[in-house]
Amino acid sequence: MTADRVTRAAEFAALLRERRRAAALTQADLASRAGLAVRTVRDLERGRTTRPRRATAELLARALGLTGAGRAQLLAAARGGPFPLPADVTEADGVGGHEPAAPSGVPLPPPVPLVGREEELSRLTAAVVADHGAPVTLVGLAGVGKSALAVALGHRLVDRFPGGVAGVVIDEAGETADLLAAVSFVFGARDLAELAVRLAKRPALLLVDAVERDPVKVRAALARLPETIRVVGTGRAPLGLPNERVWPVPPLEVPPASATPDLAEVSRYPAVALFLERLARVRPEPLAADEVPRSEEH
């Protein structure tokens, strides 16, 4: 290992460790969120890995909730060069007239168990597969589960998109060019021109989270993407594109006010089932009968 590589590995290790601690996460927590082995995170923070894979760095940035400059900084440190990619792409990466390599892996966070959305996921999957070309935007209130539904969709459709399945998160910082650079990065390309070459014969799926943060930038970026990229967005409001398909994501069904205060009865409703599933993660003891509110308390 050269001195230069040792320095790069140490810089990335220090930055990753700093970001993880700032997010109040253990190495195990970060590994779980990113869908990586704990040993992978541990080796990265010890500087034992000189150059993390692109997909690994993207997963770590997403798991840490990094956007904008923070995300760009971590990705640049991982590659040891300027964001989005250094100038060391080989012929195997599609330079010099060779057939570009297909992106490896699925740079998405691992899917979380969906509660009460299974039928909706099946209908959404069929709609995305059947309605070729048109962007789909999942629209709903904050915290309703749009992102989880989109990630589950991406994992379900990975076999149908040989060009890869990847995602980006929108923030208010940056320009259209920054967003296009991020999209190119997650699909393993240096820039938009290389992305078009890579995906010329490989349909790909791009998930765009939080489109309401900068719809003008998103619309401008989507207009410049290769036609082989299918886009599924999430947001509190639609993008307003002429051919956009808006997919409402309503809140999960809750028990009616007339429901009996019986845990077995109310847990059949998706909103309650989700609450109990989340509660079980932090509290091993099940709810006692006197902890279930009576109908007049709803």
Side-chain angles (χ1 to χ4, degrees):
M1 185 185 298
T2 66
D4 182 55
R5 289 188 175 182
V6 170
T7 300
R8 290 179 180 178
E11 290 174 351
F12 178 79
L15 180 60
L16 178 62
R17 190 163 53 247
E18 174 187 341
R19 292 293 187 178
R20 175 180 61 79
R21 290 173 177 172
L25 298 174
T26 65
Q27 291 180 339
D29 291 336
L30 179 57
S32 177
R33 285 192 179 190
L36 301 171
V38 178
R39 181 177 179 179
T40 300
V41 175
R42 185 183 302 120
D43 287 348
L44 287 170
E45 290 196 357
R46 290 177 177 175
R48 293 179 177 175
T49 303
T50 59
R51 178 172 289 181
R53 294 176 57 190
R54 299 172 188 171
T56 300
E58 185 68 25
L59 288 170
L60 288 169
R62 190 180 299 277
L64 289 166
L66 299 178
T67 60
R71 174 180 173 278
Q73 182 187 29
L74 185 73
L75 298 180
R79 302 305 298 168
F83 179 78
L85 286 175
D88 61 350
V89 182
T90 66
E91 291 185 349
D93 289 314
V95 178
H98 291 258
E99 180 70 14
S104 59
V106 181
L108 292 175
V112 298
L114 291 180
V115 177
R117 301 283 188 195
E118 294 80 6
E119 182 179 346
E120 184 173 12
L121 177 59
S122 296
R123 290 189 290 107
L124 177 60
T125 301
V128 170
V129 170
D131 191 7
H132 299 288
V136 177
T137 306
L138 311 183
V139 177
L141 300 173
V144 79
K146 304 181 295 297
S147 299
L149 183 60
V151 170
L153 173 72
H155 282 278
R156 177 170 289 196
L157 289 176
V158 63
D159 292 335
R160 287 186 172 269
F161 290 93
V165 179
V168 293
V169 180
I170 304 301
D171 58 18
E172 294 83 355
E175 305 296 334
T176 301
D178 299 315
L179 177 53
L180 290 171
V183 173
S184 299
F185 181 92
V186 297
F187 283 113
R190 182 195 302 273
D191 52 30
L192 203 57
E194 185 180 321
L195 181 65
V197 173
R198 281 179 174 272
L199 302 182
K201 298 179 181 180
R202 297 189 180 101
L205 178 64
L206 174 67
L207 307 180
V208 185
D209 196 34
V211 299
E212 81 282 354
R213 293 176 180 172
D214 197 336
V216 174
K217 178 171 65 180
V218 176
R219 289 194 296 265
L222 296 191
R224 297 179 58 187
L225 292 180
E227 294 182 355
T228 50
I229 294 184
R230 185 69 193 279
V231 176
V232 174
T234 71
R236 301 182 192 181
L239 278 169
L241 293 168
N243 62 336
E244 177 184 18
R245 177 165 184 176
V246 179
W247 189 280
V249 181
L252 294 174
E253 184 182 5
V254 299
S258 58
T260 59
D262 179 76
L263 187 58
E265 177 68 21
V266 297
S267 62
R268 294 190 299 107
Y269 291 87
V272 177
L274 178 62
F275 168 76
L276 294 175
E277 191 272 336
R278 296 291 188 268
L279 180 65
R281 297 183 183 184
V282 296
R283 171 181 154 172
E285 304 84 8
L287 284 175
D290 58 358
E291 293 181 286
V292 181
R294 299 190 176 277
S295 58
E296 62 268 17
E297 298 176 321
H298 289 178

